Structure formats: C-alpha cells, structure tokens
Amino acid sequence: MRKKILIVDDEQSMREVLAILLEKEGHEVTSCEGGVAALKALQKAVFDMVITDLKMPDVGGIEVLRSAKSVNPDTVVLVITAFGTAESAVEAMKLGAYDYINKPFKVDDVRCIVKEALSSTDQYQNKLSAELSAHEKPALQKIIGQSPAMREVLELLPKIAVSEPNVMITGESGTGKELVAKAVHQLSPRSSAPFVTVNCGAIPENLLESELFGHIKGAFTNAVANKKGLFEIAGRGTLFLDEIGDLPLPLQVKLLRVLEDGAFRRVGDTEVIRVDVRIVSATNKDLKEALKEGTFREDLYYRLNVLPLKLPPLRNRGDDVAVLIRHFLGKFKPAKKISAEAMEILSRYPWYGNVRELENTMERLIVLSSGDTITEEHIPDEIRMPDSLPLPQDIPAEGVNLDGIIEDIEKRYLTKALEKTKGVKTDAARLLNLSFRSFRHRLSKYDLGEKD
Ligand SMILES: Nc1ncnc2c1ncn2[C@@H]1O[C@H](COP(=O)(O)OP(=O)(O)OP(=O)(O)O)[C@@H](O)[C@H]1O
Ligand SMILES: [Mg+2]
C-alpha cells in the first residue's frame, strides 16, 4: 500500500538513493536536507514513516525522532547511522525507533527493513480495527487440537471465559496464546465490547503510559490534543496485555494501582475514570524467575494470574501435529496432498517454534512443492534431520558454559542458513523462522555476514 515517507539527510546523494528506491516501491516521498526542515514538515503532514540520518549539522536525528513520535506515535522511524556509532543507534531504539540502518547500506537491506517495518504497523492497526468489530467463526473451532493436553485446555477455556477474574495465559512462543486470549473474550459475557491488544514489549516505555491511560492536551510537550488510552477504548471489554513480562517496573506499579482502585486518570488530568475491563495477559517467560529476580512485582503477578491457563508445547501434543498439518493444508491449499512419508517426518520433528513454526513450514512447503503432493524431497534438511542438534551425553563435574554453548549453536545456524541461501539474508531469516530484523541483529551481534 502507498505510504507517506519522510527522508531526512544532509547528504543529497543519500536522499536521492532512498527516494528512488522508495518511489519505486510505490511510496510517496518527501525529502528534507536537515533537522530544521524536517521538524517543519512534521508539523504540516502526518507521515507513516520517517527515515532520518542521526548526525546533521543543524538539528540531529534524535530530535527528529522525538518530534515524529510525539506528533504521531504510530509513525515508524528508522535512523541511519554511520558505521561504528552503535551507541546513538541504541539510544534511538530506546526512544522508539523501529530499527537502524548502517551506512554504507545495501539497497536490498533497506528495502527489506522498510517493508517489514511498514507491515508491522499495518498488522497492529488492522488488528485493532478487526478486533473492535469482530464477528468471527465460533471461537473454539479455531483452536485445533485433540490431544489430551489440548482437550484439557479446551474444556477449561469456556469455564474461565464466563467468569470474571483476570486470566494469565502462559506457554512457549507460538503455542497459540493470542488465539486463546481472543477465544476467552469471545466466549465471555463481554464479547460484544471491544477486545484490545497491547504488546507491552513493543511500545517504548515513555509512550506506554499515555498509550494505556491516555492524556489530555498539554500534558507534555507535543500532547497536542486529548487522547483516549487503551483502557478507555477497551470500555467494558477485554484488555489483552501481551508479553506482560516485558512491562517496565514503573508501569507495573501504575497498572497495579489501577487494578486495586478500579480507576485511573489520563496523564495530566485530575478527573478519575472508572474501569470495568477484564485483563487477559500472556507471557512466554518464566515469571516465577522474574519474581525472584525482582523484575516483576509479586503483588501484580497475583492480581493478573487469578485464573492461569497453560498452553502445552506442540512436541507434547502427539497426533495434534498431523491434525494441524491437515488443517493448514485445508486452509492454504485444499487441493494439495501430502505423502505418508512426508507426514511421518513432520510428525517426528520437535517443533520448538510450536504451531507458528508448523504453520510457516506448511505455507513454505505448499509453495515449494510444484506438483499436487508434498513429498519427502520438499522438506528442508533441518527438519528431516533434527538429530543434528547436539544433545548432551553428560555434563562433566566441572560444569559447562551453557550460554557459550547456545551462542555457538546459534552462530552455526546463522552461518549455515547464509551458506544455504548463498548469502541472501531474507531467505536465511525465513529458514530460521526469524524476522529479518532479528536475524540482522543476531548477525551483527556475532560479527557475521557483513564481510561480502
Ligand atoms: N491450536 C491452534 N490451532 C490453530 N492455529 C493455531 C493454534 N495455535 C496457534 N495457532 C496459530 O499459530 C500462530 C501463532 O499463534 P499465536 O500468535 O497465538 O501464538 P503465541 O503463543 O501468542 O506466540 P508468541 O509467544 O510468539 O507471541 C497463529 O497464526 C495462530 O493462529
Ligand atoms: Mg503472541
């Protein structure tokens, strides 16, 4: 979809390269040759994305970032950094930049980052609007699974849904926490009110408070109008706090107070607003560990975890793998078949990325298999031969360095994936079920892949 993008850089050649690239992708581009001009442009129009250099003679990129985010928190900001100035890039990320681009950059890398960044906001917005008016297939039918572990969940779910207390859903990444959270809402007496999702890890800390509770005009610099928070938008519905383990401590205190008082104030306001929102939270972290370490408040934990719902990892769900494979085939390409051998191999694989990994794999297999049947040959090596994972035979008395071992495995997988895709990073990221962004961060963490 055509987006409005602002490019800010004092180097003319840089502006031109980016403008040509982005216009080719079908976007509407405005260019500014410095921070001052950019701040003006940001007052005049709303941009979906801002790409700014950090170091500029007049006003720097950090200022541009702050201003863009305060005018419209949904604007995605990418910063351009000269090689070796990681600190300012990190500062920018903390202030809400989506990602950074190292100079000199490859046009292809930039294209990928821009695409991913734009689609992440699209998903966020689509999700909000879709959820506010959800009239979907009966909630339970969407949750596929017949294994004893899953049956337990499916039996418990409606009982939990019709009761009032807060629910905390735990489970590894990709086990279906979000799917289940929606079902809890849809099966509850609140189903005609909104279901609103907040990803506690994705919103920068300094915006999260106003995002949750709203603010009034003038509450802080650039609070140009009153804004409702997600607590108010959720009304008498359900607020889904995803990745609750990432909620920063100061906000944990504020959230606890709201839950205890049943009321809150918009940032900068004195008026008290009553809340009647049910909180469903989710995490793939071990919050018990976080409690011990003091990074998650115990009092808040008990308020949120009144009704716990634990989702089993796919590798403990037996025949569910086969059932899900048939489900995804039916969903993506009903005409496609799968051979018994291929089914066997997929059923043996441990699926550490759970249903999400299986779903992505099925999408990929459907594309890769040109005929009408998915067979053994279409299945990638790492799924066919999962035994290549080094499992411990024993642990010596002097112990092992687990972090080192894990880093070593990670490096080998990153390298192998790049090898396999002849250095095409997007494909390599897909092979590892990583976002391009996360893949790139890992590469630079280990100093890999930038040698070409
Ligand atoms: N039981 C299931 N039946 C059908 N689809 C499922 C099931 N569980 C998960 N999925 C699908 O798998 C994908 C991942 O699920 P979801 O996003 O709910 O996982 P999650 O636990 O929230 O993961 P994360 O911790 O990474 O956010 C989604 O596309 C979802 O629809
Ligand atoms: Mg999730």
Short mmCIF file of all heavy atoms in Angstrom, two decimals, residues 118-175:
data_model
loop_
_atom_site.label_atom_id
_atom_site.label_comp_id
_atom_site.label_asym_id
_atom_site.label_seq_id
_atom_site.Cartn_x
_atom_site.Cartn_y
_atom_site.Cartn_z
N LEU A 118 6.89 -1.35 7.81
CA LEU A 118 5.55 -0.89 7.44
C LEU A 118 4.51 -1.96 7.70
O LEU A 118 3.40 -1.67 8.15
CB LEU A 118 5.52 -0.47 5.97
CG LEU A 118 6.25 0.85 5.66
CD1 LEU A 118 6.30 1.08 4.17
CD2 LEU A 118 5.57 2.02 6.37
N SER A 119 4.87 -3.22 7.44
CA SER A 119 3.85 -4.25 7.62
C SER A 119 3.60 -4.47 9.10
O SER A 119 2.50 -4.82 9.51
CB SER A 119 4.23 -5.54 6.91
OG SER A 119 5.01 -6.35 7.74
N SER A 120 4.59 -4.22 9.95
CA SER A 120 4.34 -4.40 11.38
C SER A 120 3.30 -3.40 11.87
O SER A 120 2.46 -3.73 12.69
CB SER A 120 5.65 -4.28 12.18
OG SER A 120 5.97 -2.93 12.36
N THR A 121 3.33 -2.18 11.35
CA THR A 121 2.33 -1.23 11.82
C THR A 121 0.98 -1.54 11.21
O THR A 121 -0.04 -1.37 11.83
CB THR A 121 2.68 0.22 11.45
OG1 THR A 121 2.86 0.26 10.05
CG2 THR A 121 3.91 0.69 12.16
N ASP A 122 0.99 -2.01 9.96
CA ASP A 122 -0.27 -2.39 9.34
C ASP A 122 -0.97 -3.45 10.16
O ASP A 122 -2.15 -3.37 10.45
CB ASP A 122 -0.02 -2.97 7.95
CG ASP A 122 0.00 -1.86 6.91
OD1 ASP A 122 -0.32 -0.72 7.30
OD2 ASP A 122 0.32 -2.13 5.76
N GLN A 123 -0.15 -4.46 10.56
CA GLN A 123 -0.75 -5.54 11.33
C GLN A 123 -1.35 -5.00 12.61
O GLN A 123 -2.43 -5.36 13.02
CB GLN A 123 0.31 -6.58 11.67
CG GLN A 123 0.58 -7.54 10.54
CD GLN A 123 1.87 -8.31 10.76
OE1 GLN A 123 2.44 -8.27 11.84
NE2 GLN A 123 2.33 -8.97 9.74
N TYR A 124 -0.60 -4.07 13.26
CA TYR A 124 -1.07 -3.52 14.52
C TYR A 124 -2.40 -2.81 14.32
O TYR A 124 -3.35 -3.01 15.05
CB TYR A 124 -0.01 -2.56 15.06
CG TYR A 124 -0.38 -1.90 16.36
CD1 TYR A 124 -0.46 -2.66 17.53
CD2 TYR A 124 -0.64 -0.55 16.42
CE1 TYR A 124 -0.80 -2.06 18.72
CE2 TYR A 124 -0.98 0.05 17.62
CZ TYR A 124 -1.06 -0.71 18.76
OH TYR A 124 -1.40 -0.11 19.93
N GLN A 125 -2.48 -2.01 13.24
CA GLN A 125 -3.70 -1.26 13.03
C GLN A 125 -4.86 -2.15 12.57
O GLN A 125 -5.97 -2.01 13.05
CB GLN A 125 -3.46 -0.14 12.03
CG GLN A 125 -2.89 1.07 12.74
CD GLN A 125 -2.06 1.95 11.85
OE1 GLN A 125 -1.99 1.73 10.65
NE2 GLN A 125 -1.43 2.94 12.43
N ASN A 126 -4.52 -3.08 11.67
CA ASN A 126 -5.58 -4.00 11.23
C ASN A 126 -6.15 -4.75 12.41
O ASN A 126 -7.35 -4.94 12.52
CB ASN A 126 -5.02 -5.03 10.25
CG ASN A 126 -4.71 -4.38 8.93
OD1 ASN A 126 -5.13 -3.26 8.69
ND2 ASN A 126 -3.95 -5.07 8.11
N LYS A 127 -5.23 -5.14 13.28
CA LYS A 127 -5.65 -5.92 14.43
C LYS A 127 -6.61 -5.13 15.27
O LYS A 127 -7.68 -5.60 15.61
CB LYS A 127 -4.41 -6.22 15.25
CG LYS A 127 -4.33 -7.68 15.64
CD LYS A 127 -3.03 -7.90 16.16
CE LYS A 127 -2.28 -8.63 16.91
NZ LYS A 127 -1.01 -8.45 17.30
N LEU A 128 -6.23 -3.89 15.57
CA LEU A 128 -7.11 -3.06 16.38
C LEU A 128 -8.48 -2.93 15.74
O LEU A 128 -9.49 -3.19 16.38
CB LEU A 128 -6.51 -1.67 16.55
CG LEU A 128 -5.67 -1.46 17.81
CD1 LEU A 128 -5.24 -0.01 17.91
CD2 LEU A 128 -6.46 -1.84 19.05
N SER A 129 -8.52 -2.59 14.44
CA SER A 129 -9.83 -2.35 13.85
C SER A 129 -10.61 -3.66 13.72
O SER A 129 -11.81 -3.69 13.93
CB SER A 129 -9.70 -1.66 12.50
OG SER A 129 -8.84 -2.39 11.68
N ALA A 130 -9.90 -4.75 13.40
CA ALA A 130 -10.60 -6.02 13.24
C ALA A 130 -11.19 -6.46 14.57
O ALA A 130 -12.32 -6.91 14.66
CB ALA A 130 -9.66 -7.09 12.72
N GLU A 131 -10.40 -6.25 15.63
CA GLU A 131 -10.85 -6.74 16.91
C GLU A 131 -11.99 -5.91 17.48
O GLU A 131 -12.81 -6.41 18.23
CB GLU A 131 -9.67 -6.78 17.88
CG GLU A 131 -8.89 -8.04 17.65
CD GLU A 131 -7.45 -7.91 18.10
OE1 GLU A 131 -7.13 -6.84 18.66
OE2 GLU A 131 -6.68 -8.83 17.87
N LEU A 132 -12.02 -4.65 17.11
CA LEU A 132 -13.09 -3.82 17.63
C LEU A 132 -14.42 -4.22 17.02
O LEU A 132 -15.46 -3.90 17.55
CB LEU A 132 -12.79 -2.35 17.35
CG LEU A 132 -11.61 -1.79 18.16
CD1 LEU A 132 -11.28 -0.38 17.73
CD2 LEU A 132 -11.88 -1.85 19.65
N SER A 133 -14.41 -4.89 15.89
CA SER A 133 -15.68 -5.27 15.28
C SER A 133 -15.65 -6.74 14.90
O SER A 133 -15.97 -7.11 13.78
CB SER A 133 -15.91 -4.43 14.03
OG SER A 133 -14.87 -4.71 13.11
N ALA A 134 -15.22 -7.57 15.82
CA ALA A 134 -15.04 -8.97 15.45
C ALA A 134 -16.36 -9.74 15.40
O ALA A 134 -17.09 -9.81 16.37
CB ALA A 134 -14.10 -9.63 16.43
N HIS A 135 -16.64 -10.28 14.21
CA HIS A 135 -17.76 -11.21 14.09
C HIS A 135 -17.20 -12.42 13.41
O HIS A 135 -17.20 -12.53 12.19
CB HIS A 135 -18.91 -10.61 13.28
CG HIS A 135 -19.88 -9.90 14.15
ND1 HIS A 135 -20.61 -10.54 15.11
CD2 HIS A 135 -20.19 -8.60 14.24
CE1 HIS A 135 -21.35 -9.66 15.74
NE2 HIS A 135 -21.11 -8.47 15.25
N GLU A 136 -16.65 -13.31 14.20
CA GLU A 136 -15.84 -14.35 13.61
C GLU A 136 -16.47 -15.72 13.83
O GLU A 136 -17.45 -15.88 14.53
CB GLU A 136 -14.44 -14.29 14.19
CG GLU A 136 -13.79 -12.97 13.91
CD GLU A 136 -12.37 -12.91 14.45
OE1 GLU A 136 -12.22 -13.02 15.68
OE2 GLU A 136 -11.47 -12.81 13.65
N LYS A 137 -15.83 -16.68 13.21
CA LYS A 137 -16.19 -18.08 13.40
C LYS A 137 -16.19 -18.38 14.89
O LYS A 137 -15.38 -17.83 15.62
CB LYS A 137 -15.11 -18.94 12.75
CG LYS A 137 -15.61 -19.88 11.70
CD LYS A 137 -14.46 -20.45 10.93
CE LYS A 137 -13.89 -21.69 11.56
NZ LYS A 137 -12.87 -22.32 10.73
N PRO A 138 -17.08 -19.25 15.35
CA PRO A 138 -17.08 -19.54 16.78
C PRO A 138 -15.67 -19.78 17.30
O PRO A 138 -14.89 -20.51 16.71
CB PRO A 138 -17.93 -20.81 16.85
CG PRO A 138 -18.83 -20.72 15.68
CD PRO A 138 -18.10 -19.94 14.63
N ALA A 139 -15.39 -19.11 18.40
CA ALA A 139 -14.01 -19.01 18.87
C ALA A 139 -13.31 -20.36 19.07
O ALA A 139 -12.17 -20.53 18.68
CB ALA A 139 -14.00 -18.22 20.15
N LEU A 140 -14.04 -21.29 19.62
CA LEU A 140 -13.38 -22.55 19.96
C LEU A 140 -12.97 -23.35 18.75
O LEU A 140 -11.96 -24.03 18.74
CB LEU A 140 -14.28 -23.40 20.85
CG LEU A 140 -14.26 -23.04 22.33
CD1 LEU A 140 -15.17 -23.97 23.10
CD2 LEU A 140 -12.85 -23.11 22.89
N GLN A 141 -13.78 -23.24 17.69
CA GLN A 141 -13.50 -24.02 16.48
C GLN A 141 -12.16 -23.69 15.85
O GLN A 141 -11.59 -24.48 15.12
CB GLN A 141 -14.58 -23.74 15.44
CG GLN A 141 -15.78 -24.61 15.62
CD GLN A 141 -16.83 -24.24 14.59
OE1 GLN A 141 -16.53 -23.64 13.57
NE2 GLN A 141 -18.06 -24.60 14.88
N LYS A 142 -11.69 -22.50 16.14
CA LYS A 142 -10.42 -22.08 15.54
C LYS A 142 -9.22 -22.70 16.22
O LYS A 142 -8.13 -22.66 15.68
CB LYS A 142 -10.29 -20.57 15.69
CG LYS A 142 -11.13 -19.80 14.76
CD LYS A 142 -10.68 -18.38 14.89
CE LYS A 142 -11.20 -17.55 13.77
NZ LYS A 142 -10.75 -16.19 13.92
N ILE A 143 -9.44 -23.18 17.42
CA ILE A 143 -8.31 -23.75 18.15
C ILE A 143 -8.27 -25.25 17.87
O ILE A 143 -9.11 -26.01 18.35
CB ILE A 143 -8.44 -23.48 19.66
CG1 ILE A 143 -8.63 -21.98 19.90
CG2 ILE A 143 -7.22 -24.00 20.41
CD1 ILE A 143 -8.94 -21.63 21.33
N ILE A 144 -7.30 -25.63 17.04
CA ILE A 144 -7.26 -27.01 16.59
C ILE A 144 -6.44 -27.84 17.58
O ILE A 144 -5.38 -27.41 18.02
CB ILE A 144 -6.60 -27.09 15.20
CG1 ILE A 144 -7.25 -26.09 14.24
CG2 ILE A 144 -6.65 -28.51 14.65
CD1 ILE A 144 -8.71 -26.33 13.97
N GLY A 145 -6.93 -29.06 17.87
CA GLY A 145 -6.16 -29.93 18.75
C GLY A 145 -7.07 -30.92 19.46
O GLY A 145 -8.14 -30.54 19.92
N GLN A 146 -6.63 -32.18 19.47
CA GLN A 146 -7.44 -33.22 20.12
C GLN A 146 -6.63 -34.00 21.12
O GLN A 146 -7.13 -34.94 21.74
CB GLN A 146 -7.95 -34.20 19.05
CG GLN A 146 -8.61 -33.50 17.90
CD GLN A 146 -8.84 -34.43 16.73
OE1 GLN A 146 -8.38 -35.57 16.70
NE2 GLN A 146 -9.57 -33.95 15.74
N SER A 147 -5.36 -33.66 21.27
CA SER A 147 -4.51 -34.38 22.22
C SER A 147 -5.06 -34.17 23.63
O SER A 147 -5.76 -33.19 23.88
CB SER A 147 -3.09 -33.85 22.15
OG SER A 147 -3.10 -32.48 22.47
N PRO A 148 -4.76 -35.11 24.55
CA PRO A 148 -5.25 -34.95 25.92
C PRO A 148 -4.85 -33.59 26.50
O PRO A 148 -5.67 -32.92 27.13
CB PRO A 148 -4.55 -36.09 26.67
CG PRO A 148 -4.25 -37.12 25.62
CD PRO A 148 -4.05 -36.38 24.34
N ALA A 149 -3.61 -33.15 26.23
CA ALA A 149 -3.15 -31.87 26.79
C ALA A 149 -4.01 -30.72 26.27
O ALA A 149 -4.36 -29.80 27.01
CB ALA A 149 -1.69 -31.64 26.43
N MET A 150 -4.39 -30.78 25.00
CA MET A 150 -5.18 -29.71 24.40
C MET A 150 -6.65 -29.81 24.81
O MET A 150 -7.33 -28.80 24.98
CB MET A 150 -5.04 -29.81 22.89
CG MET A 150 -4.68 -28.56 22.15
SD MET A 150 -3.88 -27.27 23.03
CE MET A 150 -4.79 -25.90 22.36
N ARG A 151 -7.13 -31.04 24.97
CA ARG A 151 -8.52 -31.20 25.42
C ARG A 151 -8.74 -30.56 26.77
O ARG A 151 -9.77 -29.93 27.01
CB ARG A 151 -8.85 -32.68 25.53
CG ARG A 151 -9.30 -33.19 24.23
CD ARG A 151 -10.12 -34.43 24.35
NE ARG A 151 -10.12 -34.99 23.02
CZ ARG A 151 -10.29 -36.24 22.74
NH1 ARG A 151 -10.50 -37.11 23.71
NH2 ARG A 151 -10.29 -36.65 21.51
N GLU A 152 -7.74 -30.72 27.62
CA GLU A 152 -7.83 -30.11 28.95
C GLU A 152 -8.02 -28.60 28.82
O GLU A 152 -8.87 -28.01 29.47
CB GLU A 152 -6.53 -30.39 29.70
CG GLU A 152 -6.72 -30.95 31.09
CD GLU A 152 -5.37 -31.34 31.67
OE1 GLU A 152 -4.69 -30.44 32.20
OE2 GLU A 152 -4.98 -32.53 31.55
N VAL A 153 -7.21 -28.01 27.94
CA VAL A 153 -7.29 -26.57 27.72
C VAL A 153 -8.67 -26.20 27.18
O VAL A 153 -9.32 -25.27 27.65
CB VAL A 153 -6.21 -26.10 26.72
CG1 VAL A 153 -6.44 -24.66 26.29
CG2 VAL A 153 -4.82 -26.28 27.31
N LEU A 154 -9.14 -26.96 26.19
CA LEU A 154 -10.40 -26.61 25.54
C LEU A 154 -11.61 -26.80 26.47
O LEU A 154 -12.64 -26.15 26.30
CB LEU A 154 -10.58 -27.45 24.26
CG LEU A 154 -9.58 -27.06 23.16
CD1 LEU A 154 -9.63 -28.04 22.00
CD2 LEU A 154 -9.83 -25.64 22.67
N GLU A 155 -11.45 -27.68 27.44
CA GLU A 155 -12.55 -27.85 28.42
C GLU A 155 -12.55 -26.74 29.45
O GLU A 155 -13.59 -26.24 29.87
CB GLU A 155 -12.41 -29.19 29.13
CG GLU A 155 -13.17 -30.28 28.40
CD GLU A 155 -12.78 -31.66 28.90
OE1 GLU A 155 -12.49 -31.81 30.10
OE2 GLU A 155 -12.74 -32.59 28.06
N LEU A 156 -11.34 -26.33 29.83
CA LEU A 156 -11.20 -25.30 30.84
C LEU A 156 -11.59 -23.92 30.30
O LEU A 156 -12.17 -23.09 31.01
CB LEU A 156 -9.73 -25.29 31.28
CG LEU A 156 -9.36 -24.56 32.55
CD1 LEU A 156 -10.14 -25.13 33.73
CD2 LEU A 156 -7.85 -24.70 32.83
N LEU A 157 -11.29 -23.71 29.02
CA LEU A 157 -11.41 -22.38 28.44
C LEU A 157 -12.80 -21.74 28.59
O LEU A 157 -12.90 -20.60 29.05
CB LEU A 157 -10.98 -22.46 26.98
CG LEU A 157 -10.51 -21.17 26.33
CD1 LEU A 157 -9.55 -21.47 25.22
CD2 LEU A 157 -11.65 -20.35 25.82
N PRO A 158 -13.89 -22.41 28.24
CA PRO A 158 -15.20 -21.77 28.38
C PRO A 158 -15.55 -21.45 29.83
O PRO A 158 -16.18 -20.42 30.10
CB PRO A 158 -16.18 -22.82 27.83
CG PRO A 158 -15.34 -23.80 27.09
CD PRO A 158 -13.97 -23.75 27.65
N LYS A 159 -15.08 -22.31 30.74
CA LYS A 159 -15.37 -22.04 32.16
C LYS A 159 -14.65 -20.78 32.61
O LYS A 159 -15.21 -19.94 33.33
CB LYS A 159 -14.90 -23.22 33.03
CG LYS A 159 -15.70 -24.48 32.78
CD LYS A 159 -15.26 -25.58 33.72
CE LYS A 159 -15.75 -26.93 33.19
NZ LYS A 159 -14.79 -28.00 33.39
N ILE A 160 -13.40 -20.67 32.20
CA ILE A 160 -12.63 -19.48 32.54
C ILE A 160 -13.26 -18.25 31.89
O ILE A 160 -13.38 -17.19 32.50
CB ILE A 160 -11.17 -19.65 32.07
CG1 ILE A 160 -10.44 -20.58 33.03
CG2 ILE A 160 -10.47 -18.33 31.93
CD1 ILE A 160 -8.97 -20.71 32.78
N ALA A 161 -13.68 -18.43 30.64
CA ALA A 161 -14.20 -17.28 29.88
C ALA A 161 -15.42 -16.65 30.54
O ALA A 161 -15.51 -15.43 30.60
CB ALA A 161 -14.53 -17.72 28.46
N VAL A 162 -16.35 -17.46 31.05
CA VAL A 162 -17.59 -16.88 31.58
C VAL A 162 -17.42 -16.31 32.98
O VAL A 162 -18.31 -15.62 33.48
CB VAL A 162 -18.75 -17.90 31.59
CG1 VAL A 162 -19.11 -18.32 30.19
CG2 VAL A 162 -18.41 -19.11 32.46
N SER A 163 -16.29 -16.55 33.62
CA SER A 163 -16.10 -15.98 34.95
C SER A 163 -15.46 -14.60 34.82
O SER A 163 -15.09 -14.18 33.75
CB SER A 163 -15.26 -16.92 35.80
OG SER A 163 -14.00 -17.08 35.19
N GLU A 164 -15.34 -13.90 35.95
CA GLU A 164 -14.89 -12.51 35.89
C GLU A 164 -13.39 -12.27 36.08
O GLU A 164 -12.83 -11.38 35.45
CB GLU A 164 -15.66 -11.68 36.95
CG GLU A 164 -16.89 -11.01 36.38
CD GLU A 164 -16.56 -10.04 35.25
OE1 GLU A 164 -15.78 -9.11 35.46
OE2 GLU A 164 -17.06 -10.25 34.12
N PRO A 165 -12.70 -13.03 36.94
CA PRO A 165 -11.33 -12.67 37.28
C PRO A 165 -10.37 -12.64 36.09
O PRO A 165 -10.67 -13.19 35.02
CB PRO A 165 -10.89 -13.78 38.26
CG PRO A 165 -12.14 -14.38 38.76
CD PRO A 165 -13.14 -14.23 37.68
N ASN A 166 -9.23 -11.99 36.32
CA ASN A 166 -8.21 -11.88 35.28
C ASN A 166 -7.58 -13.23 34.95
O ASN A 166 -7.47 -14.10 35.81
CB ASN A 166 -7.12 -10.90 35.73
CG ASN A 166 -7.66 -9.50 35.88
OD1 ASN A 166 -8.64 -9.14 35.24
ND2 ASN A 166 -7.04 -8.71 36.74
N VAL A 167 -7.16 -13.34 33.70
CA VAL A 167 -6.61 -14.60 33.20
C VAL A 167 -5.16 -14.37 32.78
O VAL A 167 -4.86 -13.36 32.14
CB VAL A 167 -7.38 -15.08 31.95
CG1 VAL A 167 -6.87 -16.44 31.47
CG2 VAL A 167 -8.87 -15.12 32.23
N MET A 168 -4.28 -15.30 33.13
CA MET A 168 -2.93 -15.23 32.59
C MET A 168 -2.62 -16.50 31.79
O MET A 168 -2.70 -17.61 32.30
CB MET A 168 -1.89 -15.04 33.68
CG MET A 168 -0.49 -14.86 33.09
SD MET A 168 0.81 -14.66 34.32
CE MET A 168 0.54 -12.97 34.83
N ILE A 169 -2.29 -16.29 30.52
CA ILE A 169 -2.00 -17.41 29.63
C ILE A 169 -0.48 -17.55 29.49
O ILE A 169 0.20 -16.58 29.16
CB ILE A 169 -2.62 -17.17 28.24
CG1 ILE A 169 -4.12 -16.88 28.39
CG2 ILE A 169 -2.39 -18.36 27.33
CD1 ILE A 169 -4.77 -16.39 27.12
N THR A 170 0.02 -18.73 29.78
CA THR A 170 1.45 -18.95 29.61
C THR A 170 1.69 -20.06 28.61
O THR A 170 0.82 -20.91 28.38
CB THR A 170 2.12 -19.36 30.94
OG1 THR A 170 1.41 -20.47 31.48
CG2 THR A 170 2.12 -18.24 31.94
N GLY A 171 2.85 -20.06 28.02
CA GLY A 171 3.20 -21.09 27.04
C GLY A 171 4.34 -20.58 26.19
O GLY A 171 4.53 -19.36 26.07
N GLU A 172 5.08 -21.51 25.60
CA GLU A 172 6.20 -21.14 24.74
C GLU A 172 5.71 -20.30 23.57
O GLU A 172 4.52 -20.29 23.26
CB GLU A 172 6.86 -22.41 24.20
CG GLU A 172 7.62 -23.18 25.24
CD GLU A 172 8.18 -24.48 24.67
OE1 GLU A 172 8.21 -24.67 23.43
OE2 GLU A 172 8.60 -25.32 25.48
N SER A 173 6.65 -19.67 22.92
CA SER A 173 6.33 -18.88 21.75
C SER A 173 5.66 -19.75 20.68
O SER A 173 6.09 -20.87 20.43
CB SER A 173 7.62 -18.29 21.20
OG SER A 173 7.33 -17.42 20.16
N GLY A 174 4.57 -19.22 20.10
CA GLY A 174 3.91 -19.93 19.01
C GLY A 174 2.93 -21.01 19.45
O GLY A 174 2.43 -21.77 18.62
N THR A 175 2.61 -21.08 20.74
CA THR A 175 1.70 -22.14 21.20
C THR A 175 0.23 -21.73 21.07
O THR A 175 -0.66 -22.54 21.32
CB THR A 175 1.97 -22.54 22.66
OG1 THR A 175 2.12 -21.36 23.44
CG2 THR A 175 3.22 -23.39 22.77
#
